[in-house]
Amino acid sequence: MPYDLLVQHARVIDGTGNPWFRGDVAVRAGRIEAVGPHLGGDAVEVVDASPYVVCPGFIDAHTHSDYVFFIDPTAQSKVRQGVTTEVTGNCGMSGAPYFGGAKENILTASRGFVPTWESIPEFLEALDRQPKPVNIAPLIGHGTLRAAVVGHEDRPGTAAELSRMAALLSEGLQAGAAGMSTGLYFAPGAYATLPELVELARVAGRHGALLTSHIRDEGSRSVGFVAAVHEIVQVGRRAEAPVHISHIKAFGPDTWHTSGEVLRILEAARRGGVDVTCDQYPYDTTGGGLAADTLPYGFQGGKSPTQISQALRLPTVQAAIRAEVAANIQKRGGPGVLTISTYPADRSLEGQTLEAICARRRADPADVVMDLLAASYEAKWNCRSLSPQDVDAFLRYPPTMIGSDGSSLSIEGPLSGGNPHPRNFGAFPRVLREYVRERGVLTLEEAIRKMTSLPAQRFSLRDRGRLQAGMRADLVLLDADAVQDASFERPKQYPAGIPWVMVGGQWVIRERQFTGNLPGRLARRG
Ligand SMILES: [Zn+2]
């Protein structure tokens, strides 16, 4: 019987970090059938890949594509980068459970999409059925669980609330969710104490799943970066569960050049038996929401996003929190490095620095930020707040994998708005261009390992992430000398140099063209 596909004469990079070799990959019935030099045999389709690297499809370890495919199933900004599986539900925020206080948080993040599910298993079923170009491995968000069960209150969960959260988490993990994410920087996740995190991490660990964390502080805002790293290591040690630091970074000038100290903490933890890893996006500029980044936790406590905007319309409220908002803006590097990326209430501000908006309005940065949020909670910015040396150091660390922290977007249609962070369109090609080809921070094989077998192992996606017989046929053909990524000036650009992408045995990108195939499924853990 002929193969469905034979990719011939490629530089084969198998995802394990091993050096490339010249060879072929054969595919049949959605799986890799054979990998090796000179495979031979007949095939329905033969692709001469002599100019290309063939490697496993990339697994984006950190994304927020929770709702995008319900809005536009053809959103291509990830698959065009070679991403064939997205880990969603990060930073404590997931699409389910959809009840109680979680409803408003979900509706604030869902770009107008209204969920049709309530429970986590129902959500996973809807995700599986929804046509989409890539596979999805969803995490369950602790902030969403907490909003559903405890609401937006600034207090520890009661014993009854904790066991309700644990039961919902268990149900979701049993249904195949990839793990639990926490967003300890965001309300309401920030109101969780160490015992709550340990108890929930233990539940995840019992299912063989991990706890990921947008840690409590990446800069100098509350407990500090180093203490926040220690906290998540503690959770892993006490719960005897795998833990994972999301988009690791040393945020803001006060925290620059602490990467060495933090990596020593992680190495000491690993030597001591704590199973800790991290992911990272390859930029010195972050993206985030103005509300989470500037408003005091005490002020956010007990308020839904709508109530936060309403409260900010009162001058007395603004006066009471102005000093802390101003300090938080300074800790991000000040108004000159903060650029509004998304503000649907006034699109003319997108792409402008906070400094420029303040000059035009003859107003203080804190007042401008609070006024923007009073008009609309949906305000995002890009912050050039990291030191490139720290970015390089975290990227070199072998347990660090690549995660875009972005979503599948589009250059047209309902997902093409705003001036998004270019990571949504270019995080993976940027690693290959800047950190491999131009600066040699990583070898090509090591970069691809961080995009394939490492996240597959971490999220227990057992039949993905390596070129090996029996694995799912998620494949990328790329021209390592030609890869180009989107820039901050023109962020909504599909990358160059990644002409073929296959998901589950079907081409989604074929000779640079989108085929219209939407073969993505739910990627269940285990
Ligand atoms: Zn995050």
Side-chain angles (χ1 to χ4, degrees):
M1 203 170 66
Y3 302 125
D4 294 339
L5 168 72
L6 189 58
V7 175
Q8 283 186 317
H9 316 307
R11 277 199 282 158
V12 178
I13 295 185
D14 69 1
T16 63
N18 285 344
W20 68 268
F21 65 93
R22 185 70 62 187
D24 309 338
V25 177
V27 170
R28 185 182 282 139
R31 299 259 173 187
I32 295 172
E33 177 105 348
V35 182
H38 308 295
L39 287 183
D42 292 333
V44 176
E45 181 181 19
V46 176
V47 175
D48 174 15
S50 39
Y52 300 128
V53 165
V54 62
C55 63
F58 302 149
I59 298 169
D60 189 339
H62 188 106
T63 92
H64 292 285
S65 291
D66 303 291
Y67 314 102
V68 288
F69 299 118
F70 297 102
I71 297 168
D72 180 358
T74 69
Q76 291 160 43
S77 75
K78 289 295 178 61
V79 74
R80 292 266 185 183
Q81 299 180 50
V83 171
T84 55
T85 301
E86 291 194 68
V87 179
T88 61
N90 276 284
C91 302
M93 300 174 263
S94 57
Y98 181 67
F99 62 79
K103 273 188 155 178
E104 201 188 318
N105 291 53
I106 287 171
L107 291 175
T108 304
S110 69
R111 300 169 188 255
F113 170 76
V114 180
T116 53
W117 54 80
E118 187 171 315
S119 73
I120 297 168
E122 286 163 0
F123 169 55
L124 299 188
E125 276 309 308
L127 265 182
D128 192 34
R129 278 197 311 271
Q130 173 61 39
K132 54 198 167 302
V134 296
N135 305 302
I136 302 283
L139 298 165
I140 299 163
H142 161 259
T144 306
L145 281 179
R146 205 173 206 280
V149 173
V150 184
H152 297 99
E153 303 308 312
D154 179 359
R155 61 169 173 81
T158 64
E161 288 165 343
L162 262 177
S163 56
R164 177 96 176 101
M165 283 193 269
L168 290 166
L169 174 61
S170 245
E171 182 187 49
L173 292 171
Q174 223 135 31
M180 180 171 81
S181 79
T182 61
L184 306 179
Y185 173 75
F186 303 103
Y191 308 133
T193 55
L194 188 62
E196 176 173 327
L197 297 172
V198 170
E199 180 160 341
L200 293 173
R202 203 170 274 143
V203 172
R206 273 203 296 270
H207 288 269
L210 82 172
L211 175 140
T212 73
S213 192
H214 181 145
I215 58 177
R216 210 173 280 279
D217 198 353
E218 298 172 325
S220 56
R221 177 161 172 200
S222 58
V223 298
F225 180 39
V226 168
V229 169
H230 277 300
E231 180 185 43
I232 216 65
V233 166
Q234 270 305 318
V235 171
R237 181 174 288 125
R238 291 198 199 174
E240 296 178 8
V243 291
H244 177 91
I245 298 176
S246 296
H247 44 56
I248 192 163
K249 63 176 85 75
F251 198 111
D254 299 345
T255 312
W256 285 353
H257 312 307
T258 53
S259 50
E261 181 184 356
V262 163
L263 289 171
R264 282 191 294 277
I265 294 167
L266 295 181
E267 260 320 278
R270 289 189 62 82
R271 267 200 312 278
V274 180
D275 181 0
V276 57
T277 53
C278 37
D279 65 64
Q280 183 189 19
Y281 50 80
Y283 297 88
D284 63 6
T285 296
T286 73
L290 275 63
D293 288 344
T294 63
L295 301 175
Y297 291 111
F299 164 72
Q300 295 180 65
K303 298 185 188 70
S304 70
T306 312
Q307 289 166 333
I308 286 173
S309 282
Q310 281 165 354
L312 285 171
R313 284 169 209 154
L314 301 172
T316 50
V317 169
Q318 287 208 8
I321 64 172
R322 176 173 291 117
E324 190 167 338
V325 171
N328 286 336
I329 291 168
Q330 282 313 317
K331 286 174 183 173
R332 307 187 82 71
V337 302
L338 307 172
T339 304
I340 302 295
S341 58
T342 304
Y343 192 61
D346 180 358
R347 295 277 186 197
S348 76
L349 301 183
E350 292 172 352
Q352 296 199 36
T353 63
L354 180 58
E355 192 171 61
I357 298 167
C358 290
R360 217 179 35 258
R361 295 187 178 183
R362 297 175 203 281
D364 278 355
D367 293 323
V368 169
V369 163
M370 289 189 287
D371 286 344
L372 293 179
L373 288 171
S376 167
Y377 186 90
E378 264 303 277
K380 296 197 174 81
W381 56 16
N382 293 334
C383 314
R384 211 176 64 246
S385 306
L386 309 184
S387 143
Q389 290 96 313
D390 288 322
V391 175
D392 287 7
F394 288 131
L395 192 61
R396 281 196 190 96
Y397 185 50
T400 303
M401 56 203 79
I402 309 301
S404 67
D405 200 9
S407 302
S408 277
L409 300 177
S410 182
I411 58 169
E412 60 196 355
L415 297 175
S416 64
N419 199 53
H421 194 295
R423 64 194 180 190
N424 294 282
F425 285 81
F428 287 75
R430 184 180 173 91
V431 172
L432 300 174
R433 175 187 61 78
E434 178 175 339
Y435 292 84
V436 175
R437 187 174 74 224
E438 294 178 357
R439 294 181 43 227
V441 175
L442 301 173
T443 64
L444 183 57
E445 289 86 347
E446 173 66 357
I448 288 175
R449 184 187 69 82
K450 288 169 173 285
M451 300 170 174
T452 57
S453 70
L454 179 59
Q457 173 181 300
R458 197 53 173 154
F459 295 97
S460 299
L461 305 172
R462 300 219 171 93
D463 55 1
R464 301 178 197 277
R466 279 171 294 150
L467 292 185
Q468 190 181 302
M471 293 277 154
R472 303 225 185 214
D474 297 342
L475 300 180
V476 176
L477 272 62
L478 60 89
D479 180 344
D481 296 325
V483 172
Q484 288 293 343
D485 54 298
S487 63
F488 282 90
E489 293 70 36
R490 296 184 66 205
K492 287 182 281 191
Q493 299 288 318
Y494 294 136
I498 306 177
W500 300 74
V501 183
M502 172 171 273
V503 178
Q506 294 185 45
W507 293 117
V508 176
I509 305 298
R510 190 176 193 287
E511 293 185 277
R512 294 170 195 83
Q513 302 301 311
F514 176 56
T515 61
N517 290 332
L518 300 172
R521 301 301 301 265
L522 188 71
R524 286 189 168 82
R525 181 173 42 82

